[in-house]
Amino acid sequence: MIGTSVKSQEEIVSNIGLLPKEFTPGNYVDGWTNFDLSFGRFFLNSAMVSLLTVVGNAVSCLLAAYAFARLRFRLRGMWFAIMIGTLLLPGHVLIVPQYILFRSLGLVGGEWPYLPLLIPQFLATEAFFVFLMVQFMRGIPRELDEAAKIDGASAFGIFRHVILPLSRPALVTTAIFSFIWTWNDFFRQLVFLSSLEDYTVPVALTLFIDSTSQSAVGPMFAMSVLSLLPVFLFFLAFQRMLVEGINTSGLKG
């Protein structure tokens, strides 16, 4: 990908080697300014959607996981089983009823076109992250809850002062996967976003190939290289916490 991003259009077709015979860095300039909007606008859109998704998943899934792992309420086992059962449903099956629902609510193509992408994330619809946090919280000794109750802590107080600080590795794991999956998501963003100025990076990359099969492969690969950098840097920055979140059992020492 990096090699192709610095090849000319003719050399992309003729040269199958990794290294270009003629260095063409202008692909990055052409890709950045190829449309009426700067490609930076698409990066900002992706960053906004990804970061809000991280916040939504972290908050909603943590609260839902705390309820399933620590609180006692009727039919808890049944609701947990139903939530786990949603993991069996392919996302491509759910996209049609979701689109119909959001369209009937007037949220598709509205003033804030990202709502259909963000609302589910603030409602704990990512069962994988809820399950991850539930399993993590089950590894935290209940004696800590009992000690907090003796000190007069309510259910929210236990969550705030006991569960939340100890759940940091699970939260970081959720944040990393949420960011990477959302940044790379193409299908849902293609379905719900219809205006050029609202496109995210994955959708914008398809614009380099038009309906007449004319393509700007060099600039497309150049922007693809740039689109990998945020994901790579995000993962690199939180790699240690990601490993810790997967391996830890809730307490150390």
Side-chain angles (χ1 to χ4, degrees):
M1 183 184 296
I2 296 175
T4 305
S5 69
V6 291
K7 292 180 181 179
S8 63
Q9 187 71 19
E10 296 75 14
E11 190 177 355
I12 291 175
V13 180
S14 60
N15 181 13
I16 62 174
L18 294 178
L19 299 178
K21 297 178 181 178
E22 180 183 352
F23 188 65
T24 312
N27 286 334
Y28 286 86
V29 177
D30 295 340
W32 194 264
T33 60
N34 189 72
F35 310 106
D36 294 336
L37 297 173
S38 169
F39 209 87
R41 174 61 181 268
F42 306 132
F43 273 91
L44 291 176
N45 293 341
S46 283
M48 179 186 62
V49 173
S50 299
L51 292 176
L52 289 177
T53 297
V54 167
V55 174
N57 278 336
V59 173
S60 63
C61 293
L62 183 65
L63 292 174
Y66 175 68
F68 283 124
R70 290 313 224 221
L71 302 183
R72 304 291 181 182
F73 54 91
R74 294 182 59 185
L75 304 178
R76 183 182 67 166
M78 183 194 74
W79 290 118
F80 186 72
I82 291 175
M83 183 205 69
I84 296 299
T86 61
L87 291 173
L88 303 176
L89 298 175
H92 296 78
V93 174
L94 299 176
I95 196 69
V96 174
Q98 285 180 357
Y99 183 85
I100 295 174
L101 173 63
F102 286 121
R103 187 181 64 177
S104 64
L105 295 175
L107 299 178
V108 177
E111 295 182 1
W112 188 251
Y114 304 109
L115 286 179
L117 299 173
L118 297 175
I119 288 178
Q121 315 309 324
F122 283 86
L123 298 178
T125 59
E126 293 288 350
F128 172 78
F129 295 131
V130 176
F131 176 73
L132 174 71
M133 292 185 180
V134 167
Q135 295 302 106
F136 184 89
M137 291 180 187
R138 285 175 177 173
I140 300 176
R142 286 190 174 272
E143 288 78 5
L144 297 177
D145 297 23
E146 300 299 330
K149 287 182 180 179
I150 294 176
D151 290 338
S154 61
F156 179 78
I158 296 174
F159 170 79
R160 170 66 180 84
H161 299 287
V162 178
I163 302 298
L164 181 59
L166 294 175
S167 299
R168 182 186 172 206
L171 280 172
V172 172
T173 304
T174 298
I176 292 175
F177 282 115
S178 294
F179 183 87
I180 293 176
W181 291 351
T182 305
W183 184 275
N184 292 330
D185 180 36
F186 170 76
F187 185 66
R188 294 182 70 249
Q189 296 172 4
L190 176 66
V191 170
F192 288 111
L193 302 178
S194 57
S195 176
L196 175 64
E197 61 183 11
D198 299 325
Y199 279 180
T200 55
V201 170
V203 181
L205 287 175
T206 64
L207 300 177
F208 287 101
I209 301 178
D210 59 25
S211 58
T212 62
S213 299
Q214 296 295 321
S215 59
V217 180
M220 179 179 65
F221 272 80
M223 294 302 99
S224 298
V225 171
L226 294 182
S227 70
L228 292 178
L229 292 179
V231 175
F232 177 75
L233 295 176
F234 192 87
F235 177 81
L236 193 64
F238 296 99
Q239 180 182 8
R240 181 183 59 82
M241 293 183 180
L242 173 64
V243 176
E244 180 183 357
I246 294 175
N247 292 332
T248 187
S249 60
L251 288 176
K252 295 186 294 184

